[in-house]
Amino acid sequence: MNMVPTIGIETHVELNTNSKMFCNCAVVETENPNENLCPTCLGLPGALPVPNLKAIESITMLALSANCSITKNGMFHRKNYFYPDLPKNYQISQFDLPVGVDGSLEIILDETKETVEIERVHMEEDTGKSIHKGTGRIDSATSTLLDFNRSGVPLVEIVTKPVIKSSKEAVSYIEELRQLVIDLKISEGKLEKGNLRFDANISVAKENDNELGVKVEIKNMNSLRSLEKAIDYEIERQTKLIESNEVVIQETRHWDEDKEVTSSMRSKEGSADYRYFSDPDLPNMILTDEFIDNIKKTIPTLPSEKRDKLSETGLSISESNYLGKSEEWIYNLYLKTQKITSDTKSTYNLITGELQGQLRKAEMEELPEWLTSEKLSEIIKMINENKISFTSGKEILTNLIQNEISPSKYAEDNNLIQDNDSDEIAKIVKNVVESNTEVVERIKDGEEKLVGFLVGQIIKSSKGNINPSIAKELLLKEL
Ligand SMILES: [Zn+2]
């Protein structure tokens, strides 16, 4: 019996606004707890929320970019529950009128494009942080500390429909969403900082069942690696239960990073448990056509559009996806350089391989201003025209990263130009053959490995100025 897993993902994206969602407190990274607080984000009596316009612009931009329909007459709801890091006893969120509904996002799996349908995109505020001393988990901690710096930071929640079929697809979806919020410049998009936090709803059903299986929610996955492992673990756990006719319980489970298992946290709450009602402190959220049109005008090139542009230069889908998700300057450098060289493969390989590798080694995060696409194409052209070897190209690049040099002048000054004058090379080849008669005999007897030795001798006599492939070709002719 084949089992079919179905996965839905809820992602919280922390926006990069200057101030919090409903008050003037600054959103800053600080080690000091409880620095940025006010009566509103502490939930003190009488404090009133005022929505952050920038955050609403950001979520509208995201919803439009994820192909959602925009709710023009929306509102905020209160999601009621108790937790020490939520002093109001409710979170301001959205219920049946989210900013965006029915969207989709293109994702890449190796060389194919897939679509993940988006159910909703809604606005809410973050809670404070509970620090459970001792074990780090509430059920076994010795004490709990509260930090309200994060309380009220704007969050966008993006919920997919249950359409994802594997952990690999889930990872690719998060990578795409992350790139989207970075390109839209609405979030830092750093997973390690918790800018993107995700939960997965996983169910497993028998292949021919018309209904989805019982849904289990997994929390606490804070990296793509843990997302992938947790999903794989949970699919296997549920499959085993179903195969042995046991019951899968609808619940929320915690991913244990160290033990690499999920464990039960609590039975799954339904939306009725939160007693949602519209927030009487906040006016309705009316998004006018003019507001939406203005946001549309500010949307930059989207990741999927970048991929299409890259594919047009002749790159494969996975190569386009890789470059499209690289930093902006790498993407632009490739496009400009490829336009000059018209050589897709060499340009892609030199930039993503050699150049990025050398920059990493030199611990440089950006390109020096003099390292232009013109200079890079000069190196690529010299290699392609056999004027210099690839090794010399690497040497020129190393120097170009450090100093403002002219690649062709550097090649001349440092004797890197290969001698491609066949008459000249022919003389050298003849000399080498004549002074290595014993080796030549052995090659003729079948020891083909020794060809490399003679090519080496030829390059040595030319002081490295001969292109190895031309030398080999002439040598074989001579033999
Ligand atoms: Zn505040």
Side-chain angles (χ1 to χ4, degrees):
M1 175 68 62
N2 272 343
M3 297 293 184
V4 182
T6 302
I7 304 156
I9 296 183
E10 296 171 11
T11 313
H12 285 95
V13 176
E14 203 176 277
L15 298 180
N16 59 359
T17 52
N18 292 326
S19 57
K20 292 185 180 179
M21 188 61 217
F22 298 107
C23 63
N24 270 333
C25 291
V27 177
V28 284
E29 265 177 63
T30 168
E31 292 291 301
N32 305 329
N34 299 310
E35 259 199 351
N36 298 288
L37 319 167
C38 74
T40 303
C41 56
L42 272 180
L44 299 187
L48 286 172
V50 177
N52 182 330
L53 176 62
K54 181 77 191 151
I56 294 173
E57 288 171 352
S58 297
I59 189 178
T60 307
M61 194 191 245
L62 178 60
L64 286 168
S65 305
N67 307 302
C68 290
S69 309
I70 302 294
T71 306
K72 291 176 185 169
N73 295 309
M75 62 170 70
F76 287 105
H77 276 76
R78 289 185 179 181
K79 180 181 183 182
N80 299 278
Y81 69 97
F82 167 79
Y83 205 73
D85 59 24
L86 185 73
K88 291 201 296 281
N89 273 0
Y90 63 85
Q91 179 189 27
I92 305 177
S93 181
Q94 292 192 285
F95 185 51
D96 54 352
L97 294 168
V99 171
V101 290
D102 290 332
S104 65
L105 213 56
E106 178 188 280
I107 65 163
I108 301 299
L109 281 179
D110 302 322
E111 292 298 337
T112 48
K113 292 179 179 178
E114 308 256 337
T115 303
V116 172
E117 288 167 87
I118 309 281
E119 188 173 293
R120 57 187 280 139
V121 174
H122 74 247
M123 187 84 245
E124 60 185 35
E125 57 175 346
D126 210 343
T127 62
K129 225 181 226 171
S130 305
I131 298 127
H132 303 301
K133 284 287 185 186
T135 58
R137 291 204 53 186
I138 191 168
D139 51 3
S140 46
T142 50
S143 63
T144 293
L145 302 176
L146 293 169
D147 175 7
F148 291 101
N149 282 336
R150 205 180 68 180
S151 173
V153 167
L155 284 185
V156 172
E157 183 169 338
I158 301 108
V159 183
T160 73
K161 291 186 182 167
V163 288
I164 296 171
K165 294 290 173 206
S166 68
S167 58
K168 201 177 162 194
E169 217 175 304
V171 168
S172 173
Y173 163 74
I174 295 293
E175 283 173 341
E176 187 69 17
L177 183 61
R178 175 176 175 271
Q179 193 60 42
L180 180 60
V181 299
I182 290 174
D183 286 353
L184 295 178
K185 298 190 170 64
I186 59 171
S187 171
E188 299 295 306
K190 294 200 169 128
L191 298 186
E192 66 277 15
K193 280 194 191 164
N195 296 150
L196 259 79
R197 311 194 285 268
F198 28 81
D199 306 326
N201 286 299
I202 303 165
S203 67
V204 172
K206 290 176 185 163
E207 198 175 18
N208 297 320
D209 275 6
N210 290 325
E211 278 173 44
L212 293 178
V214 175
K215 184 169 80 175
V216 172
E217 184 177 22
I218 311 292
K219 287 193 178 289
N220 189 46
M221 299 162 294
N222 43 26
S223 67
L224 291 177
R225 191 181 154 274
S226 60
L227 174 71
E228 189 174 355
K229 289 207 158 193
I231 290 176
D232 286 340
Y233 176 87
E234 192 55 27
I235 290 173
E236 202 186 320
R237 189 188 71 88
Q238 292 183 29
T239 302
K240 276 183 189 157
L241 285 175
I242 296 167
E243 280 174 348
S244 55
N245 285 323
E246 285 178 68
V247 179
V248 176
I249 300 163
Q250 177 165 347
E251 61 182 349
T252 300
R253 294 176 74 86
H254 172 94
W255 170 246
D256 188 320
E257 193 73 59
D258 298 325
K259 293 182 193 149
E260 298 194 340
V261 295
T262 62
S263 59
S264 184
M265 262 172 98
R266 55 173 189 256
S267 62
K268 175 74 184 160
E269 61 290 338
S271 67
D273 299 330
Y274 288 113
R275 292 144 36 239
Y276 279 96
F277 63 88
S278 65
D279 193 319
D281 286 344
L282 285 159
N284 287 354
M285 199 200 299
I286 312 289
L287 304 181
T288 63
D289 289 335
E290 192 194 355
F291 174 84
I292 295 167
D293 285 343
N294 283 335
I295 297 287
K296 274 184 191 160
K297 283 178 200 152
T298 63
I299 295 177
T301 312
L302 300 176
S304 57
E305 294 169 340
K306 279 189 182 174
R307 269 196 297 272
D308 290 345
K309 224 170 171 183
L310 290 162
S311 294
E312 279 167 23
T313 70
L315 291 177
S316 72
I317 291 177
S318 61
E319 287 168 337
S320 305
N321 189 39
Y322 175 78
L323 257 192
K325 286 187 170 63
S326 301
E327 281 165 86
E328 196 75 26
W329 64 264
I330 297 174
Y331 164 78
N332 287 325
L333 182 70
Y334 168 82
L335 283 180
K336 278 191 196 162
T337 311
Q338 195 275 342
K339 209 170 177 187
I340 302 172
T341 61
S342 306
D343 185 332
T344 304
K345 272 273 166 294
S346 305
T347 308
Y348 178 83
N349 288 340
L350 194 73
I351 290 177
T352 61
E354 207 44 44
L355 178 64
Q356 280 195 281
Q358 289 207 22
L359 287 175
R360 254 194 303 276
K361 228 188 246 168
E363 291 181 2
M364 290 163 77
E365 280 175 13
E366 268 187 56
L367 221 50
E369 51 173 27
W370 62 78
L371 212 168
T372 57
S373 48
E374 284 78 13
K375 294 223 161 122
L376 215 52
S377 19
E378 218 178 306
I379 298 177
I380 294 168
K381 274 191 178 158
M382 284 194 289
I383 297 173
N384 283 351
E385 288 166 3
N386 280 327
K387 279 190 181 154
I388 57 170
S389 65
F390 186 72
T391 312
S392 301
K394 289 202 297 200
E395 182 186 328
I396 297 172
L397 196 60
T398 308
N399 283 278
L400 186 57
I401 287 171
Q402 302 299 339
N403 304 297
E404 187 169 2
I405 55 163
S406 147
S408 51
K409 189 164 181 307
Y410 181 93
E412 274 166 31
D413 293 351
N414 293 277
N415 292 324
L416 300 179
I417 303 288
Q418 296 176 134
D419 193 344
N420 293 323
D421 181 344
S422 306
D423 284 350
E424 200 49 38
I425 303 173
K427 255 185 236 165
I428 296 174
V429 172
K430 214 166 184 196
N431 275 336
V432 168
V433 168
E434 276 167 8
S435 50
N436 285 284
T437 43
E438 198 189 316
V439 180
V440 171
E441 282 311 310
R442 282 167 65 190
I443 291 174
K444 285 180 178 164
D445 287 343
E447 279 189 69
E448 279 174 28
K449 280 191 300 196
L450 291 171
V451 169
F453 168 76
L454 287 187
V455 170
Q457 293 298 307
I458 295 166
I459 292 171
K460 209 171 158 191
S461 334
S462 77
K463 298 193 179 91
N465 289 335
I466 287 177
N467 178 331
S469 60
I470 293 177
K472 190 180 174 187
E473 199 180 300
L474 288 170
L475 173 69
L476 291 179
K477 231 186 254 171
E478 182 74 27
L479 292 178

